[in-house]
């Protein structure tokens, strides 16, 4: 008898630590891993490269790629494969159905037009922040602020707000597993200094980051909490360094962010 068969199922069919292995569809998990193997640095991959990136055998990677190609999610050009625009349907399904982006978007638009700066909101996904909503008021500050974009959490204001909201043990574990990369000369890559930045963020209730993700990009963010006080997302204002100094960013943008934070507390 499988040892898992001796474990009682919960009413939802899940074990205390998550679903039982027998209830998971490995093929779906591996197919999604193949899609996630493509990124900005490697938009086109060979079968061998997909196998290396996903841990699949070459034969299995080939079958998944051919299946995704048949379904229209992957296109083949000789020996290389790349994602097609149809993959966007997966993200659109979230954007159109999830409550969080729909609730946050009106506040982002108010912020953007009131301050005449770009605003975005994001959630933590492993080591990165994924943007779930954004408004620009005509300001083209950075391509990383668009919905669906993924940026490292350690060098962004939204990311620091979200990590700082973790319990101490969870935050320390998160920091220990990071491979801190200097994206600009300003990026904090010393673990202890980064931990101090997280603690400062927690104490202040906001994070301000000066050109650590991109040169010329300054951001300030606050946590978005639900009615139980749990941090579920973060919201920021982004400006170009040539238009605003860091002290101006805090003085001019933080009050508006805190007001929007309070408005959203009862809606999230």
């Amino acid at each position: 008898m499988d040892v898992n068969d001796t474990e009682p199922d919960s009413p939802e069919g899940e074990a205390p630590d998550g679903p039982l292995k027998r209830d998971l569809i490995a093929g779906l998990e591996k197919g999604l891993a193949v899609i996630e193997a493509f990124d900005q640095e490697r938009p086109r991959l060979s079968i061998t490269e997909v196998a290396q990136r996903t841990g699949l055998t070459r034969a299995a990677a080939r079958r998944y790629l051919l299946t995704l190609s048949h379904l229209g999610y992957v296109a083949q050009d000789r020996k290389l494969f790349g994602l097609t625009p149809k993959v966007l349907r997966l993200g659109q399904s979230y954007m159109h159905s999830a409550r969080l982006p729909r609730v946050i978007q009106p506040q982002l638009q108010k912020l953007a037009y009131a301050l005449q700066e770009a605003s975005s909101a994001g959630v933590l996904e492993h080591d990165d922040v994924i943007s779930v909503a954004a408004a620009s008021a005509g300001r083209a500050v950075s391509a990383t602020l668009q919905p669906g974009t993924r940026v490292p959490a350690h060098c962004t204001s939204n990311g620091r707000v979200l990590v700082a909201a973790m319990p101490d043990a969870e935050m320390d574990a998160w920091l220990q597993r990071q491979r801190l990369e200097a994206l600009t000369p300003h990026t904090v890559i010393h673990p202890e200094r980064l931990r101090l930045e997280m603690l400062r963020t927690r104490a202040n209730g906001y994070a301000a980051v000066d050109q650590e993700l991109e040169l010329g990009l300054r951001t300030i963010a606050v946590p978005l909490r639900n009615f139980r006080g749990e941090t579920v997302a973060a919201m920021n204002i982004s400006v170009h360094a040539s238009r605003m100094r860091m002290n101006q960013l805090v003085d001019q943008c933080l009050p508006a962010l805190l007001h929007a934070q309070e408005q959203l507390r009862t809606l999230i």
Side-chain angles (χ1 to χ4, degrees):
M1 178 183 295
D2 190 324
V3 66
N4 288 334
D5 290 338
T6 65
E7 298 175 4
D9 288 353
S10 69
E12 293 77 26
E14 294 188 359
D17 295 328
L20 300 174
K21 186 175 181 179
R22 64 173 181 246
D23 293 328
L24 300 179
I25 301 175
L28 176 59
E29 180 181 0
K30 294 173 182 176
L32 292 173
V34 169
I35 291 176
E36 291 179 350
F38 297 88
D39 56 27
Q40 186 174 353
E41 286 72 31
R42 299 303 301 269
R44 302 207 308 170
L45 298 169
S46 67
I47 294 174
T48 299
E49 289 170 328
V50 169
Q52 291 171 344
R53 287 193 158 208
T54 58
L56 296 169
T57 65
R58 191 180 184 282
R62 175 180 176 275
R63 291 196 301 272
Y64 280 107
L65 286 167
L66 291 178
T67 301
L68 290 168
S69 178
H70 172 70
L71 295 173
Y73 291 103
V74 165
Q76 182 176 1
D77 181 13
R78 297 182 182 179
K79 294 185 177 181
L80 296 178
F81 294 81
L83 300 181
T84 70
K86 188 175 181 181
V87 172
L88 292 173
R89 289 188 183 182
L90 302 176
Q92 288 173 338
S93 295
Y94 169 77
M95 299 301 293
H96 293 161
S97 64
R99 184 170 178 273
L100 186 63
R102 289 186 284 113
V103 170
I104 294 175
Q105 187 65 40
Q107 287 294 334
L108 294 183
Q109 291 172 338
K110 290 179 183 178
L111 278 171
Y113 283 99
L115 299 171
Q116 288 298 296
E117 301 291 351
S119 181
S120 68
V123 297
L124 193 64
E125 212 276 321
H126 297 302
D127 299 335
D128 297 330
V129 174
I130 299 177
S131 176
V132 297
S136 67
R139 293 285 195 185
V141 182
S142 171
T144 63
L145 303 175
Q146 299 304 310
T149 55
R150 177 188 294 267
V151 294
H154 74 275
C155 58
T156 56
S157 58
N158 275 346
R160 288 187 183 170
V161 162
L162 293 167
V163 174
M166 296 176 178
D168 284 344
E170 188 177 344
M171 182 180 73
D172 288 341
W174 188 92
L175 289 168
Q176 288 173 8
R177 72 168 184 263
Q178 298 307 299
R179 297 177 60 185
L180 302 177
E181 181 182 358
L183 301 181
T184 78
H186 304 280
T187 308
V188 175
I189 58 173
H190 191 280
E192 188 54 36
R193 184 183 164 195
L194 184 58
R195 187 177 189 277
L196 290 175
E197 289 295 331
M198 298 300 184
L199 294 176
R200 182 179 293 110
T201 294
R202 183 188 293 174
N204 292 340
Y206 71 91
V209 174
D210 186 8
Q211 305 181 80
E212 294 190 39
L213 175 66
E214 293 180 14
L215 289 175
L217 180 65
R218 290 172 171 159
T219 63
I220 183 170
V222 297
L224 294 179
R225 303 182 180 93
N226 59 21
F227 67 94
R228 291 187 293 269
E230 302 163 336
T231 297
V232 297
M235 175 174 60
N236 74 12
I237 292 291
S238 300
V239 304
H240 198 278
S242 64
R243 292 199 304 272
M244 196 176 294
R245 296 189 300 272
M246 285 300 291
N247 62 328
Q248 292 176 309
L249 177 65
V250 175
D251 293 342
Q252 296 180 24
C253 298
L254 182 58
L257 277 170
L258 293 175
H259 178 73
Q261 177 193 60
E262 187 61 31
Q263 294 291 109
L264 287 167
R265 185 185 295 271
T266 58
L267 301 176
I268 296 177

